[in-house]
Amino acid sequence: MEVRVGSSVLELVEGDITQQDTDAIVNAANPSLLGGGGVDGAIHRAGGPQILEECRRIGGCPTGEARITNAGRLKAKKVIHTVGPVYYRDGERAPELLASAYRNSLRLASEHGLRSVAFPSISTGAYGYPMEEAAPIALKTVMDYLREHPEIERVRFVLFGRAAYETYRRALEDLVGG
Ligand code: ADP
Protein backbone atom coordinates (compact mmCIF):
# COMPACT_ATOMS: atom_id res chain seq x y z
CA MET A 1 0.00 0.00 0.00
CA GLU A 2 1.21 3.53 -0.65
CA VAL A 3 -0.11 7.04 -0.06
CA ARG A 4 1.08 10.49 -1.11
CA VAL A 5 2.07 12.93 1.61
CA GLY A 6 2.64 16.33 0.03
CA SER A 7 5.06 15.60 -2.81
CA SER A 8 6.45 12.47 -1.09
CA VAL A 9 5.37 8.84 -0.95
CA LEU A 10 4.78 6.75 2.17
CA GLU A 11 4.68 3.04 1.46
CA LEU A 12 4.13 -0.16 3.40
CA VAL A 13 5.69 -3.43 2.27
CA GLU A 14 6.07 -6.84 3.84
CA GLY A 15 9.74 -7.84 3.77
CA ASP A 16 13.25 -7.76 5.19
CA ILE A 17 14.87 -4.42 6.03
CA THR A 18 18.34 -5.66 5.05
CA GLN A 19 17.27 -6.14 1.41
CA GLN A 20 16.08 -2.57 0.79
CA ASP A 21 17.61 -0.37 -1.92
CA THR A 22 16.61 2.92 -0.30
CA ASP A 23 19.36 5.51 0.34
CA ALA A 24 19.15 4.70 4.05
CA ILE A 25 17.80 1.88 6.15
CA VAL A 26 17.04 2.40 9.82
CA ASN A 27 18.26 0.01 12.49
CA ALA A 28 16.26 -0.60 15.68
CA ALA A 29 19.43 -0.53 17.77
CA ASN A 30 20.12 -0.65 21.50
CA PRO A 31 21.90 2.18 23.38
CA SER A 32 25.32 0.50 23.23
CA LEU A 33 25.17 0.32 19.40
CA LEU A 34 27.16 -2.88 19.84
CA GLY A 35 24.73 -5.24 18.23
CA GLY A 36 21.86 -7.38 19.40
CA GLY A 37 19.15 -9.62 18.02
CA GLY A 38 16.20 -8.87 15.74
CA VAL A 39 16.70 -6.16 13.15
CA ASP A 40 20.05 -5.19 14.62
CA GLY A 41 21.49 -8.71 14.32
CA ALA A 42 20.15 -9.06 10.78
CA ILE A 43 21.68 -5.74 9.66
CA HIS A 44 25.12 -6.52 11.08
CA ARG A 45 25.06 -10.05 9.64
CA ALA A 46 24.10 -8.84 6.18
CA GLY A 47 26.20 -5.66 6.19
CA GLY A 48 29.44 -7.07 7.60
CA PRO A 49 31.85 -5.97 10.35
CA GLN A 50 32.50 -2.45 9.02
CA ILE A 51 29.18 -1.19 10.42
CA LEU A 52 29.90 -2.52 13.92
CA GLU A 53 33.38 -0.97 13.81
CA GLU A 54 31.88 2.47 13.10
CA CYS A 55 29.28 1.95 15.83
CA ARG A 56 32.05 1.17 18.28
CA ARG A 57 33.75 4.46 17.44
CA ILE A 58 30.49 6.39 17.92
CA GLY A 59 30.21 4.89 21.40
CA GLY A 60 26.47 4.67 21.94
CA CYS A 61 23.14 6.43 21.43
CA PRO A 62 20.55 7.56 24.01
CA THR A 63 16.93 6.45 23.70
CA GLY A 64 15.00 8.55 21.17
CA GLU A 65 18.13 9.74 19.35
CA ALA A 66 19.83 8.51 16.16
CA ARG A 67 23.33 8.07 14.70
CA ILE A 68 24.51 7.37 11.15
CA THR A 69 27.09 4.98 9.68
CA ASN A 70 28.02 3.61 6.30
CA ALA A 71 26.23 0.48 5.18
CA GLY A 72 29.01 -2.02 4.49
CA ARG A 73 27.84 -4.65 2.02
CA LEU A 74 24.18 -3.59 2.10
CA LYS A 75 22.46 -2.07 -0.95
CA ALA A 76 21.57 1.06 1.03
CA LYS A 77 24.17 3.85 1.24
CA LYS A 78 23.81 4.51 4.96
CA VAL A 79 22.44 2.90 8.09
CA ILE A 80 20.70 5.17 10.58
CA HIS A 81 20.78 3.60 14.04
CA THR A 82 18.05 4.71 16.38
CA VAL A 83 17.06 3.55 19.85
CA GLY A 84 13.36 3.20 20.57
CA PRO A 85 11.78 3.11 24.03
CA VAL A 86 11.43 -0.04 26.11
CA TYR A 87 7.66 -0.20 26.54
CA TYR A 88 7.43 -1.30 30.18
CA ARG A 89 10.44 0.64 31.40
CA ASP A 90 9.66 3.98 29.74
CA GLY A 91 5.95 4.01 30.61
CA GLU A 92 4.28 7.37 29.97
CA ARG A 93 7.27 8.66 28.04
CA ALA A 94 7.23 5.77 25.57
CA PRO A 95 4.99 7.39 22.90
CA GLU A 96 7.07 10.59 22.74
CA LEU A 97 10.35 8.64 22.74
CA LEU A 98 9.07 6.47 19.91
CA ALA A 99 8.08 9.55 17.89
CA SER A 100 11.51 11.08 18.60
CA ALA A 101 13.27 7.97 17.28
CA TYR A 102 11.44 8.32 13.94
CA ARG A 103 11.84 12.12 13.78
CA ASN A 104 15.55 12.12 14.64
CA SER A 105 16.19 9.38 12.07
CA LEU A 106 14.49 11.44 9.37
CA ARG A 107 16.36 14.56 10.45
CA LEU A 108 19.67 12.75 9.96
CA ALA A 109 18.54 11.58 6.52
CA SER A 110 17.68 15.18 5.55
CA GLU A 111 21.02 16.47 6.84
CA HIS A 112 22.91 13.86 4.81
CA GLY A 113 21.00 14.44 1.58
CA LEU A 114 19.38 11.00 1.67
CA ARG A 115 16.11 10.99 -0.23
CA SER A 116 14.61 7.59 0.58
CA VAL A 117 14.48 5.86 3.95
CA ALA A 118 13.28 2.38 4.99
CA PHE A 119 12.12 1.83 8.59
CA PRO A 120 11.40 -1.35 10.51
CA SER A 121 8.71 -1.27 13.18
CA ILE A 122 10.87 0.21 15.94
CA SER A 123 10.47 -1.09 19.53
CA THR A 124 7.89 -3.75 18.64
CA GLY A 125 10.20 -6.76 19.08
CA ALA A 126 12.49 -7.19 22.07
CA TYR A 127 11.44 -3.77 23.42
CA GLY A 128 7.84 -4.95 23.82
CA TYR A 129 5.83 -2.06 22.32
CA PRO A 130 2.46 -3.47 21.19
CA MET A 131 2.34 -3.06 17.42
CA GLU A 132 -1.26 -1.79 17.46
CA GLU A 133 -0.10 1.12 19.63
CA ALA A 134 3.21 1.74 17.88
CA ALA A 135 1.92 1.75 14.29
CA PRO A 136 -0.25 4.91 14.45
CA ILE A 137 2.54 6.81 16.26
CA ALA A 138 5.13 5.71 13.71
CA LEU A 139 2.93 6.57 10.73
CA LYS A 140 1.70 9.92 12.04
CA THR A 141 5.21 11.04 12.99
CA VAL A 142 6.54 10.20 9.53
CA MET A 143 3.58 11.85 7.76
CA ASP A 144 3.99 15.05 9.80
CA TYR A 145 7.70 15.12 8.94
CA LEU A 146 7.12 14.55 5.23
CA ARG A 147 4.63 17.41 5.03
CA GLU A 148 7.40 19.80 6.17
CA HIS A 149 10.33 18.09 4.43
CA PRO A 150 9.80 17.39 0.73
CA GLU A 151 13.52 16.61 0.39
CA ILE A 152 12.64 13.14 1.71
CA GLU A 153 10.90 11.69 -1.34
CA ARG A 154 10.03 8.23 -0.08
CA VAL A 155 9.61 6.50 3.27
CA ARG A 156 9.07 2.76 3.23
CA PHE A 157 7.93 0.79 6.26
CA VAL A 158 9.28 -2.74 5.92
CA LEU A 159 7.07 -5.00 7.99
CA PHE A 160 8.28 -8.41 9.01
CA GLY A 161 5.49 -10.87 8.26
CA ARG A 162 1.88 -10.63 7.17
CA ALA A 163 0.44 -9.82 10.60
CA ALA A 164 2.76 -6.82 11.02
CA TYR A 165 1.92 -5.59 7.51
CA GLU A 166 -1.82 -5.87 8.17
CA THR A 167 -1.52 -3.97 11.47
CA TYR A 168 0.26 -1.09 9.74
CA ARG A 169 -2.15 -1.15 6.79
CA ARG A 170 -5.15 -0.80 9.11
CA ALA A 171 -3.44 2.01 11.04
CA LEU A 172 -2.61 3.87 7.83
CA GLU A 173 -6.17 3.49 6.53
CA ASP A 174 -7.46 4.93 9.81
CA LEU A 175 -5.10 7.89 9.50
CA VAL A 176 -5.95 8.72 5.89
CA GLY A 177 -9.64 8.01 6.40
CA GLY A 178 -9.76 4.96 4.09
P1 ADP B 1 13.32 -3.49 19.22
O1 ADP B 1 14.45 -3.89 20.14
O2 ADP B 1 13.34 -2.03 18.85
O3 ADP B 1 12.00 -3.99 19.69
P2 ADP B 1 13.59 -5.71 17.28
O4 ADP B 1 14.65 -5.83 16.25
O5 ADP B 1 13.56 -6.70 18.40
O6 ADP B 1 13.69 -4.20 17.80
O7 ADP B 1 12.17 -5.74 16.57
C1 ADP B 1 11.59 -4.67 15.86
C2 ADP B 1 10.62 -5.18 14.81
O8 ADP B 1 11.34 -5.59 13.65
C3 ADP B 1 9.80 -6.40 15.24
O9 ADP B 1 8.45 -6.16 14.87
C4 ADP B 1 10.40 -7.55 14.42
O10 ADP B 1 9.44 -8.52 14.09
C5 ADP B 1 10.88 -6.85 13.19
N1 ADP B 1 11.99 -7.49 12.43
C6 ADP B 1 12.85 -8.47 12.83
N2 ADP B 1 13.72 -8.77 11.85
C7 ADP B 1 13.42 -7.95 10.79
C8 ADP B 1 13.96 -7.77 9.47
N3 ADP B 1 15.00 -8.48 9.02
N4 ADP B 1 13.39 -6.81 8.67
C9 ADP B 1 12.35 -6.07 9.11
N5 ADP B 1 11.81 -6.20 10.33
C10 ADP B 1 12.33 -7.12 11.17
Side-chain angles (χ1 to χ4, degrees), residues 2 16 33 38 40 50 52-53 59 78 90 108 118 159 169:
E2 63 175 56
D16 178 348
L33 297 185
D40 194 295
Q50 201 194 323
L52 199 58
E53 186 46 46
K78 298 281 182 185
D90 291 316
L108 266 183
L159 290 326
R169 185 184 58 74

Side-chain angles (χ1 to χ4, degrees), residues 19-152:
Q19 301 304 309
Q20 306 305 311
D21 59 1
T22 42
D23 288 347
I25 64 170
V26 175
N27 182 14
N30 62 52
S32 73
L33 297 185
L34 293 182
V39 169
D40 194 295
I43 286 176
H44 287 295
R45 265 195 309 280
Q50 201 194 323
I51 303 174
L52 199 58
E53 186 46 46
E54 266 189 75
C55 285
R56 213 170 269 131
R57 282 201 296 273
I58 292 169
C61 177
T63 302
E65 295 191 18
R67 303 287 184 267
I68 192 164
T69 67
N70 286 305
R73 295 194 293 258
L74 298 170
K75 287 181 212 159
K77 296 180 192 146
K78 298 281 182 185
V79 177
I80 294 170
H81 306 262
T82 190
V83 181
V86 177
Y87 189 69
Y88 291 102
R89 183 197 66 195
D90 291 316
E92 278 180 4
R93 296 183 61 225
E96 187 46 38
L97 287 168
L98 185 63
S100 292
Y102 282 96
R103 220 164 17 236
N104 285 322
S105 297
L106 290 167
R107 214 171 272 153
L108 266 183
S110 291
E111 285 167 14
H112 287 260
L114 304 166
R115 293 202 285 249
S116 55
V117 182
F119 280 100
S121 178
I122 295 166
S123 284
T124 60
Y127 282 3
Y129 215 121
M131 203 172 279
E132 286 73 15
E133 290 181 38
I137 296 168
L139 291 166
K140 182 163 191 313
T141 303
V142 168
M143 289 170 87
D144 287 349
Y145 189 91
L146 290 177
R147 283 193 194 96
E148 311 266 309
H149 294 273
E151 73 275 11
I152 306 286

